[in-house]
């Protein structure tokens, strides 16, 4: 190769050949090494083309220095000098780097002397890069001098401590929910970087440069070395394919590529699950295994590098404490007496001074988990141990998570084992099914802790008086355990829960409660978020499902824990208020039956509040005369008092009245609109809040006897959970008043942009129009959420002459589930309903 063009053409051909070969015979390690070698050859060609001075050394660093080069990764280079470069050499080096870009190599380079390398290695990132340095061409003695100098200045203990801290910080950065759905193959916990960290420390401390060498150094067993290599190969394969698919350096398993990757890897969809969900389960199980092996290796290395004499104390015939760690007295204990596997977790719960397992014990547990077989699960002693773990007053969450990490929980509960690593692409669960289940159990436990009482005041109060709370934890373990099997997971999970309860000796009373909770765990959230809680028939129908107050309390506790365990973004104060309203309304109904004069009670309470402002009934008699029974049933007394104070002297106002106040639930703004009713009013209001990027969570639409709209809205900032709402209330009052005073006809709202997630995992739009229990038309819409969705629905309804009486807006991640009480001519006629339904489907699809 005698020219830049020839080198560029040769490099392109070599890379194309490597890709074709990989697509036929995917061997990750071979591809990474072959790509590094190909780049070596072409770098040398450019080096020779410019006749670079022989006293320089061209050095590969970072992953490239390790001999692993991904298809679209940058190429990290060090140009090593014996002395500072003169201007002529600097010019030649710049020319050489420019040529590298010309031939298609994206390089990151540094130019240093040996002394500068040593000085810069005070930065652990530079030190790590140089640790993997490899000579490509040039002065070998100079390169050797650098390696020797770096070795002399390397503090093994300090390097270990810094890398361990660096890993912890990286894990914290990548624990965001978005990285759970679209993980970074390199940086996320359980990714390639966790494996690199172990090898960096191993190399720095002369323990070995590969998994096989670590096994020879007795840091891991040969079987563990093979397991690590297998998990590493899967991650490498995914990352290589991702680079080729994206055509650039892309390390995140974005939704855009998950289906294509599954297809490339011959992973097929099943009746109940997408191919991408199967792919992601492979990834999550690998991630879990890598995290465990990383923890075991780092603990072993720490013990080897920093041996400390810990005080030991005998706990019983099987275990001792070594410092703050639990250790088996014999590493073959779990193989010989498998029951001690569960005993070890129980001891951690019962000994609060213990922080975890020692490295040898952790490895022994991991090796022994196959001992949990059908005979182990049938053993009454083991069943009693597991129930004792569930009944402990502390440490349950940590115990279950440790058991899951090591693979023990899935062995003991085979149904749980099937959902380990199973992702749910419903776009509001951001955790795998097993992680979600353990989050739910964690939330239930938090209800009992004093430090969380401010966050869960009602739940904390209820659980203190709840006898045998282990029934809640069992219901939490089984509520989603049948996900991914096809069919109704609540009914399928019921069978698993029944079997567990009978096998573990629960009373028939507790068994019945657990099974009922698993089957009905979605009923409270569905009622609270989709139905009108001011309707006594709704409360009566829900109360009919509840056997007694213990069932009601248990269902409320499980529902709150479940919703808060789906995603950090799904829960808000509004959902909390809906659930509490339903809880208290149901409890009142179960105690006293249907309230005979509910309207009278509401009016009385509103009058009591008005008296605090020295407002007597004569002042608002005219306003209340225009408000029918439906208004009083659907508004709380404090809302009625607020409306009355604002409108008592302005009953016949010609100008729109818009008032806003901070919501009493602690989040968002309540907005009242009072204006002569007219077509497209609801659509205008929805469009206004859409332009403001505010979500409408609830809309209560009322038309007075004299033709005025008295509408109430609860709105929240869609993009910022920390908005200073007080600062925007005046803006809303002024601008919305101006919008409603406008005589310009509203324009049809534009279709909002579909999110990337919805593009790849679309939600099938559904529209149903059917009578409710009282025969009134109820519109229910399910669709993928996007900007402008509610405004388009409102505009379409207005165009068809449909009046919205109330709206319940429910958003679960990227899924919108909205319901509307509607009225209008022709809604009893099938052709009218069909035409409206088809038009709505066109607008939201």
């Amino acid at each position: 190769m005698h020219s830049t063009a020839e080198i560029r053409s040769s490099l392109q051909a070599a890379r194309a050949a490597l890709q074709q070969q990989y697509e036929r015979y995917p061997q990750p390690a071979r591809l990474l090494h072959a790509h590094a070698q190909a780049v070596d050859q072409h770098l040398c060609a450019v080096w020779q083309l410019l006749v670079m001075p022989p006293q320089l050394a061209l050095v590969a660093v970072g992953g490239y220095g390790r001999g692993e080069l991904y298809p679209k990764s940058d190429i990290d280079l060090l140009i090593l000098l014996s002395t500072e470069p003169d201007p002529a050499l600097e010019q030649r080096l710049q020319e050489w780097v420019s040529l590298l870009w010309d031939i298609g190599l994206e390089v990151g380079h540094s130019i240093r002397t040996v002394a500068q390398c040593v000085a810069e290695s005070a930065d652990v990132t530079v030190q790590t890069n140089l640790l993997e340095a490899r000579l490509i061409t040039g002065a070998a003695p100079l390169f050797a001098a650098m390696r020797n100098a770096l070795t002399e200045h390397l503090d093994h203990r300090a390097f270990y401590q810094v890398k361990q801290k660096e890993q912890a910080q990286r894990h914290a950065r990548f624990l965001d929910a978005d990285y759970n759905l679209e993980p970074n193959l390199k940086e996320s916990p359980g990714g390639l970087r966790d494996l690199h960290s172990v090898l960096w420390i191993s190399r720095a401390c002369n323990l070995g440069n590969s998994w096989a060498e670590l096994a020879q150094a007795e840091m891991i067993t040969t079987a563990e070395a093979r397991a690590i290599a297998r998990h590493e190969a899967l991650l490498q394969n995914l990352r290589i394919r991702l680079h080729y698919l994206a055509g650039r350096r892309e390390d995140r398993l974005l939704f855009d590529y998950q289906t294509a990757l599954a297809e490339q890897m011959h992973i097929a969809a099943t009746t109940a699950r997408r191919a991408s969900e199967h792919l992601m389960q492979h990834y999550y199980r690998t991630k879990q295994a890598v995290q465990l092996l990383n923890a075991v290796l780092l603990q072993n290395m720490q013990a080897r590098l920093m041996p400390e004499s810990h005080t030991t104390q005998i706990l019983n015939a099987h275990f001792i404490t070594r410092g703050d760690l639990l250790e088996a007295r014999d590493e073959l204990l779990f193989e010989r007496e498998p029951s001690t596997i569960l005993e070890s977790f129980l001891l951690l719960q019962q000994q609060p001074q213990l922080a975890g397992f020692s490295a040898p014990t952790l490895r022994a547990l991991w090796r022994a988990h196959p001992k949990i077989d059908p005979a182990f699960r049938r053993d009454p002693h083991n069943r009693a141990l597991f129930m004792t773990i569930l009944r402990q007053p502390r440490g349950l969450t940590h115990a279950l998570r440790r058991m899951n990490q090591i693979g023990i929980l899935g062995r003991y509960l085979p149904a749980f084992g099937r959902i380990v690593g199973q992702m749910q692409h419903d776009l509001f669960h951001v955790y795998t099914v097993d992680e979600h289940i353990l989050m739910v159990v964690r939330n239930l436990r938090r209800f009992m802790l004093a430090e969380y009482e401010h966050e869960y005041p009602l739940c904390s109060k209820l659980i203190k008086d709840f006898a045998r709370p282990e029934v809640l934890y069992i219901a939490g373990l089984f509520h989603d355990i049948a996900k991914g099997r096809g069919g109704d997971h609540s009914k399928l999970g019921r069978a698993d829960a029944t079997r567990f309860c009978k096998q573990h000796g629960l009373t028939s009373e507790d068994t019945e409660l657990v099974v009922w909770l698993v089957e009905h765990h979605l009923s409270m959230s569905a009622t609270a978020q989709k139905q009108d809680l001011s309707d006594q028939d709704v409360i009566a129908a829900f109360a009919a499902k509840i056997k007694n107050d213990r069932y009601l309390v248990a269902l409320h506790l499980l529902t709150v824990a479940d919703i808060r365990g789906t995603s950090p973004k799904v829960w808000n104060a509004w959902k909390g208020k809906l659930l509490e309203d339903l809880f208290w309304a149901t409890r009142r109904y179960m105690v006293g039956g249907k309230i005979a004069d509910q309207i009278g009670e509401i009016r009385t309470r509103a009058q009591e509040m008005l008296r605090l402002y020295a407002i007597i009934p004569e002042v608002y008699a005219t306003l209340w005369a225009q408000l029918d029974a439906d208004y009083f049933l659907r508004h709380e007394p404090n809302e009625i008092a607020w409306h009355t104070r604002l409108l008592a002297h302005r009953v016949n106002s010609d100008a729109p009245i818009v008032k806003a106040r901070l919501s009493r639930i602690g989040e968002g703004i309540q907005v009242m609109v009072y204006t002569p009713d007219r077509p497209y009013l609801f659509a205008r209001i929805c469009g206004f809040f859409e332009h403001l990027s505010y979500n409408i969570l609830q809309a209560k639409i009322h038309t007075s006897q004299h033709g005025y709209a008295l509408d109430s809205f609860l709105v929240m900032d869609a993009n910022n959970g920390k908005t200073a709402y007080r600062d925007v209330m005046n803006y809303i009052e002024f601008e919305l008043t101006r919008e409603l005073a406008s005589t310009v006809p509203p324009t049809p709202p534009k279709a909002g942009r579909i999110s990337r997630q919805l593009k790849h995992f679309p939600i099938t739009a559904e529209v149903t129009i059917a009578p409710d229990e009282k025969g009134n038309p109820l519109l229910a819409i399910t669709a993928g959420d996007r900007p402008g969705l509610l405004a388009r629905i409102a505009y379409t309804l207005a165009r068809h002459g449909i009046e919205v009486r109330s709206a319940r807006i429910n958003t679960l991640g990227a899924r919108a589930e909205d319901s509307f009480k509607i009225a209008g001519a022709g809604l009893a006629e099938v052709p009218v309903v069909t035409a409206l339904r088809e038009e709505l489907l066109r607008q939201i699809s």
Side-chain angles (χ1 to χ4, degrees), residues 28 45 94 109 112 123 125 221 227 229 297 332 346 452 508 529 633 659 666 727 785:
Q94 288 176 8
H109 75 285
R112 298 191 183 108
D123 180 337
T125 303
T221 65
L297 275 163
L332 296 177
L346 180 58
Y452 292 101
S508 58
Q529 296 177 36
L633 283 170
K659 293 295 178 182
D727 298 340
D785 196 23

Side-chain angles (χ1 to χ4, degrees), residues 267-305:
I267 297 172
T270 56
T271 305
R273 295 169 62 196
R274 298 180 174 96
S276 60
E277 290 175 319
H278 286 288
L279 167 76
M280 295 308 291
Q281 185 164 28
H282 287 303
Y283 164 77
Y284 286 116
R285 289 187 171 185
T286 292
K287 164 190 167 179
Q288 188 177 55
V290 168
Q291 285 184 281
L292 174 62
L293 290 165
N294 171 275
V296 167
L297 275 163
L298 289 181
Q299 274 188 278
N300 280 344
M301 288 177 173
Q302 184 176 19
R304 179 78 63 90
L305 297 171

Side-chain angles (χ1 to χ4, degrees), residues 190-209:
L192 287 163
R193 186 63 85 208
D194 280 6
L195 298 176
H196 297 160
S197 294
V198 170
L199 288 176
W200 288 332
I201 295 169
S202 172
R203 185 189 296 265
C205 301
N206 298 316
L207 295 173
N209 297 330

Side-chain angles (χ1 to χ4, degrees), residues 404-422:
N404 188 38
Q405 184 186 34
I406 302 171
I408 287 169
L409 189 57
R411 295 286 299 189
Y412 187 74
L413 301 175
F416 187 91
R418 287 194 289 272
I419 51 87
V420 169
Q422 181 179 313

